[in-house]
Amino acid sequence: MNFPTTRDRTCDQCSFRKVKCDRKYPCEKCQSLSFACSYDKPRRKKGPTGRRIGQIRSETTTQSLRQLTPVTPTEESPSPKDTVELAYFTSDPRTPLSLICPQPPPDPVFNVSSFSVSSYLPVAPYLSASAQPISTGLSLLQPSASSVAWPALATDEKIKSLINAYFSRIEKFLPVISKPAFLARLHAQEHTRNIHFGALVLTMCAFTLLQPIMKQDSSESNDNRVYKERMQTAQSMMAAAVSMRDSDAAFAENPSLDSVLMSFFLFSCFFNCQMHHAAWFRLQEAVTLAEIMGLQGKREGWKEVLTDEEREQRTRVYWVLAVTERAYALQRHHSLIRTSPSPSKPASVLAPNLFFSLSATGLDTMVELYKVVDADLIDCWNGRCATVDGTCTKLSAECAASMHKLVAEAYDHDAINAGGTLDETQRADLAISQQWLHNRLWQLCLSHGVLIVDPTTSADQRELSLTYACDIARKTIHICRLTLSMESMEVHGIGIMEKLYDIASSVVGLISCFPWIERQRNRELLPSDREILNQYIALLATFRGGQHPYLVPLMTEITGLPPVA
């Protein structure tokens, strides 16, 4: 049969690698890499795709932060149960893996009777010495004594419950707040005098509301009233916090750690609500304020005027911001605009046996994992490589293998799990982040043409093989199913589900473009790669009862795979 020499679309292999194709048969890119060029993958029908369905669902949450009355899902939206029944497994995917988080016990130090929000006035009582104008000629910089008030939904009991929930669960993987110092400030009612601390309290509570911490926060509950109440409370807290801090127009001139953390928690809230432009803006705001403060240790004399606890907290805040900025740049194809180097751990800054001792090892390991993510890697990831004759000068096979080795050596899940040195929540974040970074490096190597297609690749070059994405997916689901509870994953929010979706989606794309891979591996491995994908569907369906933007797109992608030969 005579095929036309030029086609009207990109070949399957170039489409999967997301590179430009000359549309010939075979195309030049496939010939240079010894790929079997094909145009067999069926075109998608026009109309809403599974991914768009997920986006439409996410708009429900987005609109709830834009309007006083949150938008609830319509009756026409398919329920998680109806959707999951179309999947490819026999066990009930909604069987909880310790899904419901227990109500955190009351904090023995935090007595809610010692403070009250019932007497909150407009923003005038929040004025602090640092917020006063430096001269009468700068009156526009004064905090406005307008109608900014403490939100009515943020009651005494609500604040107490949410602060307890934060320190009970979230602090374990986000060690940026000193619990004793924070509660002491709250008891002293500093939030009634300091607009920046008051704004921080509100954003912490809003962030906790948007995480599946307590039983009533579980999306398995069919009580829409509870969902609407949580979203409305979080929205009012975020709006009030922004108004409070912005009433000090010059807060960035001499920022405090409260302002840095307030911006970071705002980022976390917007990320959970799938408002990614607003999230990136707030994350960059937090990083900028941290740089002005000199949290990275570049400002002279700051170590000498601080206590050991204050120095350690500032260092850890900087680490969390550095890691988060790099991870989010990979997730959303942003650029690293900061000139600071990869996060480091200056030993002279740390003080042993302080309030972060439990969390220190987990955060230190996360820093080690993300050291490979620098500005050069992000530029390659975003397709802005420094090239010579069309070839990237930064990423080679040797460089890629070295980065894989660094990521692998940074964390040993089996050893840590056996030793019990880390909390399960910390292990969940580290293990899944490590495998996700391996997956991102594999994707980068695929787009740069440095992977080895030969199926007989030796073990010492396994990370550079075309089928390594399947090995990553297999190991990740093994870790999730056998060593981690759903509770330990849910506390991290939907970000951890996005990483699992990325890992599984890479396998779908690989099988779709290279069918011979599935045929070969089916003869060698049990369970098969397609059965592994079904386990990902079960896992994503259990997380929050399937009410998140990643379950339906993954099911749609798997449905589009050709039948097993």
Side-chain angles (χ1 to χ4, degrees):
M1 181 176 180
N2 294 325
F3 291 95
T5 57
T6 304
R7 303 302 179 89
D8 59 352
R9 63 188 177 98
T10 302
C11 77
D12 298 340
Q13 288 67 31
C14 289
S15 175
F16 178 58
R17 294 174 59 215
K18 298 180 181 179
V19 297
K20 188 175 181 180
C21 178
D22 60 14
R23 301 187 179 185
K24 296 181 180 179
Y25 184 78
C27 75
E28 183 179 347
K29 290 282 185 6
C30 287
Q31 286 182 311
S32 64
L33 296 172
S34 300
F35 286 169
C37 187
S38 65
Y39 292 82
D40 300 330
K41 188 176 180 181
R43 296 187 178 184
R44 291 191 175 186
K45 295 181 180 180
K46 294 184 178 180
T49 63
R51 185 182 298 273
R52 291 181 180 175
I53 291 174
Q55 292 174 351
I56 291 171
R57 286 185 169 180
S58 69
E59 288 178 1
T60 299
T61 306
T62 302
Q63 292 177 5
S64 67
L65 288 175
R66 295 175 177 169
Q67 303 174 1
L68 286 176
T69 304
V71 179
T72 56
T74 62
E75 295 180 358
E76 290 76 14
S77 300
S79 67
K81 183 177 180 180
D82 295 336
T83 305
V84 173
E85 285 177 353
L86 301 176
Y88 318 97
F89 46 87
T90 56
S91 59
D92 183 1
R94 289 174 58 82
T95 302
L97 303 175
S98 304
L99 177 67
I100 305 302
C101 301
Q103 174 73 26
D107 193 299
V109 181
F110 187 10
N111 181 6
V112 72
S113 62
S114 64
F115 83 103
S116 174
V117 299
S118 58
S119 60
Y120 266 86
L121 299 174
V123 77
Y126 284 92
L127 301 187
S128 61
S130 62
Q132 299 302 321
I134 59 177
S135 70
T136 56
L138 296 178
S139 59
L140 291 178
L141 299 182
Q142 297 184 49
S144 171
S146 59
S147 59
V148 179
W150 191 267
L153 293 175
T155 62
D156 293 3
E157 288 300 320
K158 178 71 73 174
I159 294 295
K160 175 182 182 297
S161 175
L162 293 173
I163 293 298
N164 278 331
Y166 176 87
F167 285 115
S168 174
R169 296 289 307 285
I170 300 177
E171 184 194 22
K172 296 176 183 178
F173 71 91
L174 200 58
V176 293
I177 301 287
S178 165
K179 181 178 179 180
F182 182 88
L183 294 183
R185 296 174 70 187
L186 202 59
H187 283 304
Q189 298 201 16
E190 184 178 340
H191 54 296
T192 66
R193 304 182 301 275
N194 185 333
I195 58 174
H196 303 295
F197 183 62
L200 173 59
V201 170
L202 288 176
T203 51
M204 282 178 62
C205 292
F207 172 57
T208 307
L209 272 172
L210 297 172
Q211 293 282 97
I213 301 300
M214 295 174 288
K215 181 176 180 179
Q216 61 264 34
D217 295 336
S218 170
S219 60
E220 284 196 334
S221 172
N222 293 321
D223 190 350
N224 287 331
R225 180 187 59 81
V226 174
Y227 169 79
K228 292 172 63 176
E229 180 182 346
R230 287 174 51 226
M231 294 303 302
Q232 188 174 7
T233 303
Q235 174 209 356
S236 64
M237 288 177 173
M238 293 168 64
V242 172
S243 296
M244 286 177 189
R245 191 183 65 175
D246 287 353
S247 64
D248 178 8
F251 75 89
E253 179 63 26
N254 188 24
S256 65
L257 198 59
D258 291 342
S259 289
V260 176
L261 291 172
M262 183 264 194
S263 294
F264 176 76
F265 283 119
L266 275 179
F267 152 76
S268 302
C269 291
F270 285 125
F271 177 81
N272 272 318
C273 295
Q274 298 289 286
M275 300 175 67
H276 294 295
H277 294 303
W280 179 249
F281 172 79
R282 292 300 179 181
L283 178 58
Q284 292 298 289
E285 181 180 70
V287 173
T288 301
L289 293 173
E291 288 186 344
I292 294 174
M293 287 187 66
L295 291 191
Q296 67 272 44
K298 293 183 177 180
R299 178 175 291 185
E300 294 183 0
W302 73 279
K303 297 178 184 178
E304 290 72 19
V305 299
L306 300 174
T307 66
D308 285 346
E309 283 193 10
E310 291 171 333
R311 284 185 293 169
E312 184 174 353
Q313 183 183 13
R314 289 184 174 217
T315 301
R316 298 204 178 283
V317 170
Y318 170 66
W319 289 350
V320 168
L321 290 176
V323 168
T324 304
E325 184 188 22
R326 283 158 173 76
Y328 204 52
L330 278 176
Q331 286 177 314
R332 297 285 171 252
H333 290 275
H334 291 298
S335 298
L336 288 181
I337 61 175
R338 303 300 165 196
T339 58
S340 57
S342 296
S344 58
K345 300 181 297 183
S348 60
V349 175
L350 300 182
N353 302 320
L354 293 176
F355 56 86
F356 284 133
S357 58
L358 177 63
S359 302
T361 305
L363 184 54
D364 291 357
T365 304
M366 189 67 75
V367 170
E368 292 296 322
L369 283 175
Y370 278 89
K371 273 189 174 181
V372 301
V373 183
D374 56 16
D376 288 339
L377 185 143
I378 292 295
D379 284 342
C380 289
W381 179 254
N382 293 331
R384 293 192 290 268
C385 309
T387 60
V388 175
D389 296 329
T391 303
C392 177
T393 60
K394 298 292 185 180
L395 186 70
S396 62
E398 293 76 15
C399 177
S402 175
M403 289 190 290
H404 274 295
K405 182 179 179 181
L406 288 175
V407 172
E409 292 177 346
Y411 176 69
D412 186 342
H413 181 74
D414 294 334
I416 296 295
N417 189 41
T421 57
L422 288 179
D423 179 86
E424 185 180 348
T425 299
Q426 297 168 321
R427 297 199 305 270
D429 194 16
L430 287 169
I432 295 176
S433 295
Q434 181 185 47
Q435 298 306 314
W436 180 72
L437 283 172
H438 278 306
N439 176 270
R440 298 296 87 183
L441 290 174
W442 179 87
Q443 287 277 6
L444 188 63
C445 292
L446 177 69
S447 65
H448 281 62
V450 298
L451 292 181
I452 303 172
V453 183
D454 185 359
T456 61
T457 303
S458 60
D460 59 343
Q461 295 180 303
R462 192 62 185 160
E463 293 83 0
L464 299 179
S465 69
L466 192 61
T467 58
Y468 187 53
C470 301
D471 298 334
I472 296 171
R474 189 175 293 267
K475 182 174 182 178
T476 305
I477 199 65
H478 175 82
I479 291 173
C480 292
R481 289 172 62 89
L482 298 183
T483 67
L484 302 175
S485 67
M486 179 55 68
E487 183 181 15
S488 68
M489 291 184 281
E490 273 196 318
V491 73
H492 295 284
I494 61 174
I496 207 165
M497 286 296 109
E498 181 175 355
K499 291 177 180 178
L500 292 173
Y501 167 80
D502 288 340
I503 292 171
S505 183
S506 296
V507 177
V508 176
L510 186 65
I511 293 175
S512 178
C513 290
F514 304 95
W516 61 267
I517 290 177
E518 186 176 22
R519 292 193 295 269
Q520 178 193 21
R521 290 172 65 87
N522 282 350
R523 295 192 298 266
E524 302 172 355
L525 298 173
L526 290 176
S528 68
D529 291 327
R530 199 168 298 215
E531 289 170 328
I532 293 295
L533 291 175
N534 292 337
Q535 294 180 21
Y536 274 92
I537 294 178
L539 182 65
L540 267 63
T542 307
F543 181 87
R544 294 191 181 180
Q547 294 293 334
H548 55 84
Y550 304 109
L551 173 61
V552 174
L554 182 60
M555 293 181 62
T556 303
E557 291 176 15
I558 296 177
T559 304
L561 286 175
V564 180

